[in-house]
Amino acid sequence: MQKLDYLKETPSQTAGPYVHIGLAPGAAGFDIYDHELGWDIAGPNARGERIRIEGLVIDGTGSPIKDVLLEAWQANSEGNFAHPEGGGPVEDGFCGWGRVITDFGTGEWAFETIKPGPVPGRNGKIQAPHISLWIVARGINVGLNTRAYFDDETEANAADPVLNTIEWENRRPTLIAKRSERDGKPVYRFDIRIQGDGETVFFDI
Amino acid sequence: MSKPAEYYQRDRSRHPVAYTPGYKTSVARSPRLALISLEQSSSEITGPAFGHNDLGPLDHDLIKNYAKDGDPIGERIIVHGRVLDENARPVPNTLVEIWQANAGGRYRHKKDTYLAPIDPNFGGCGRTLTDENGYYFFRTVKPGAYPWRNLVNNWRPAHIHVSVFGHSFSQRLITQLYFEGDPLIPICPIVQTLPDADAVDQLTAKLDLNATIPLDSIAYKFDIVLRGRRSTLFENRLEGN
């Protein structure tokens, strides 16, 4: 028998309770780097609507998880990613990537960005605007992937190939962020439920 | 629209499952429903890139990057290795971030109340970019073991947390590096979330005497493997391979 000589992916381990030391040291209580990464997703030059997304990450007991780190990855308003295979050019300073932590007291997280445009999917299908999220924390053995869609994109969401992959239609709303206005600015609410009633859909990407 | 070159599926049998009751915190923080499998699109096959402008000159040197009036206490070590993909190709110019406890087993974190002292000269985090061959290295001190509230007498083996980006959002990985020969490894509930001995071995950095600097620092070698990728599309081979 021939052997396949592929290497094996390094196994994941939990990020632990002190993930901030490595990835957001200011939050751990000390300044060490000239600048921390992931605080400005879209940059000042990005076109498109400026939005805020906020929420909680809730565990199986119904409690907010207060030591989560989330990373966001998104396209610009034209559906291009800041990457050589991202589909096209992006504005100077647009990186599309962000890193946020939950508040130690309340568990709330939030980031400011621009609303992404529709993104080409597989086989010529267009995906509705969405932001990919990656969640790590103490007790999470492998980072969790999910997506935030927007509730004011009803038509695009109905045609989205990924939302339509979810056979259980009653689970699809767990991926839809809800728009409201605060001080005249759009705010989307996106609570993530790790376990229990209304468990958020997580993806194996 | 051409078909994007996909990353290999994550071999879930290689990773811990979500619900591992021996590691108690996972009990309420593990999804109960199955993950939904996705066909990868540009959302998954792209990811953030970082450059040298993002980093400071001492970011990879934990002995110097927080030193106030001397060097940190502890055994001086070098941690080095390569970031590769499953095809054994190097992953160049990718961000590797680490964090760890000091030599006494205490983290510089406002939530860590362990009685071991804070080291005034040790921050406990570092970051670097791999070079064109996927090579990286850090200089630091060996972290101490420390107790934690799981079972009442659980101790974490000495470990360094490692975060790697790769070139796509689907390659994103956080893991932990353990040190060869540590008797706490086999009895750690977090290590025991790993499905088999080979997975544990892959997370165990090996003493590397050749990379050790005589009369200065002991070296450990730790290669990191990210998901591989099918070859890019060729016009005469539309499905890739």
Side-chain angles (χ1 to χ4, degrees):
Chain A
M1 281 273 274
Q2 280 191 334
K3 270 186 150 178
L4 290 173
D5 55 358
Y6 296 106
L7 300 179
K8 289 286 194 181
E9 188 191 10
T10 296
S12 171
Q13 292 276 264
T14 176
Y18 304 128
V19 60
H20 319 91
I21 290 178
L23 307 186
F30 65 107
D31 291 320
I32 184 164
Y33 296 139
D34 286 343
H35 76 278
E36 294 189 12
L37 300 172
W39 292 94
D40 190 7
I41 299 177
N45 304 317
R47 292 178 290 276
E49 186 181 28
R50 298 271 154 184
I51 60 170
R52 175 184 170 90
I53 304 183
E54 60 185 29
L56 292 170
V57 182
I58 298 162
D59 72 12
T61 76
S63 312
I65 304 182
K66 298 174 180 175
D67 51 11
V68 173
L69 181 127
L70 295 100
E71 287 182 353
W73 178 240
Q74 67 166 91
N76 73 357
S77 60
E78 272 135 41
N80 297 328
F81 290 92
H83 186 275
E85 295 173 86
V90 297
E91 299 88 340
D92 189 34
F94 177 88
C95 73
W97 174 76
R99 180 182 266 175
V100 295
I101 59 157
T102 49
D103 182 271
F104 292 150
T106 64
E108 289 276 350
W109 56 268
F111 56 87
E112 317 256 335
T113 183
I114 53 102
K115 194 171 168 192
V119 174
R122 295 290 295 266
N123 307 315
K125 288 179 187 155
I126 299 298
Q127 304 184 76
H130 64 273
I131 295 178
S132 298
L133 296 170
W134 187 69
I135 302 153
V136 292
R138 176 172 66 105
I140 295 177
N141 289 326
V142 189
L144 295 169
N145 288 97
T146 189
R147 285 181 170 198
Y149 287 84
F150 302 92
D151 73 343
D152 50 339
E153 297 282 349
T154 316
E155 219 170 290
N157 290 343
D160 181 78
V162 168
L163 287 172
N164 282 309
T165 294
I166 304 163
E167 178 188 348
W168 308 276
E169 292 183 34
N170 62 342
R171 298 198 65 202
R172 294 179 194 168
T174 66
L175 301 185
I176 313 288
K178 293 189 177 48
R179 183 177 176 117
S180 62
E181 287 214 349
R182 189 185 305 145
D183 305 327
K185 291 180 185 159
V187 177
Y188 288 91
R189 182 78 192 177
F190 190 68
D191 289 334
I192 296 162
R193 288 182 170 75
I194 299 287
Q195 186 190 97
D197 284 347
E199 179 180 312
T200 298
V201 169
F202 298 105
F203 293 111
D204 188 0
I205 65 169
Chain B
M1 170 65 47
S2 64
K3 187 171 172 174
E6 297 177 0
Y7 286 82
Y8 301 152
Q9 68 188 63
R10 185 156 266 160
D11 179 356
R12 295 271 166 186
S13 71
R14 186 83 179 163
H15 292 278
V17 295
Y19 175 71
T20 47
Y23 170 31
K24 291 181 184 178
T25 313
S26 77
V27 170
R29 295 185 173 193
S30 45
R32 284 291 182 273
L33 301 173
L35 304 179
I36 308 281
S37 297
L38 274 196
E39 283 188 320
Q40 292 166 13
S41 68
S42 51
S43 302
E44 288 76 39
I45 66 163
T46 61
F50 304 93
H52 290 282
N53 291 340
D54 293 314
L55 309 185
L58 290 178
D59 284 1
H60 70 291
D61 185 351
L62 285 72
I63 289 182
K64 294 294 182 196
N65 70 7
Y66 200 75
K68 302 289 185 245
D69 55 5
D71 285 346
I73 300 293
E75 185 182 342
R76 297 159 63 90
I77 63 168
I78 290 162
V79 171
H80 76 124
R82 295 175 81 198
V83 180
L84 304 165
D85 70 14
E86 289 171 294
N87 300 314
R89 296 187 185 112
V91 183
N93 307 314
T94 198
L95 184 67
V96 180
E97 295 163 288
I98 63 168
W99 68 99
Q100 63 169 94
N102 67 24
R106 173 85 177 263
Y107 285 95
R108 180 177 286 279
H109 191 292
K110 54 188 175 192
K111 293 280 183 184
D112 189 356
T113 56
Y114 179 40
L115 48 76
I118 291 278
D119 184 334
N121 292 309
F122 190 68
C125 61
R127 56 190 188 182
T128 191
L129 293 171
T130 57
D131 72 10
E132 66 274 18
N133 299 311
Y135 183 77
Y136 76 92
F137 77 95
F138 291 98
R139 188 165 76 143
T140 184
V141 295
K142 191 170 177 188
Y146 59 83
W148 58 299
R149 290 172 196 279
N150 190 60
L151 300 183
V152 78
N153 195 18
N154 280 146
W155 293 72
R156 293 300 327 275
H159 64 278
I160 296 176
H161 296 266
V162 182
S163 165
V164 198
F165 276 82
H167 292 162
S168 81
F169 208 56
S170 63
Q171 285 182 310
R172 192 78 179 83
L173 182 73
I174 283 182
T175 189
Q176 298 182 29
L177 170 163
Y178 304 101
F179 293 90
E180 180 178 12
D182 189 332
L184 294 171
I185 292 174
I187 58 170
C188 170
I190 289 177
V191 173
Q192 286 171 348
T193 65
L194 292 163
D196 59 46
D198 189 56
V200 176
D201 186 62
Q202 196 174 357
L203 295 189
T204 306
K206 304 299 185 291
L207 175 67
D208 182 354
L209 210 55
N210 284 4
T212 289
I213 302 173
L215 306 176
D216 184 328
S217 302
I218 271 187
Y220 288 89
K221 187 162 189 288
F222 187 68
D223 287 339
I224 299 161
V225 180
L226 302 180
R227 291 165 70 180
R229 189 178 194 187
R230 281 185 266 283
S231 24
T232 21
L233 178 96
F234 290 97
E235 291 294 329
N236 61 352
R237 189 146 47 86
L238 288 170
E239 292 304 309
N241 61 15

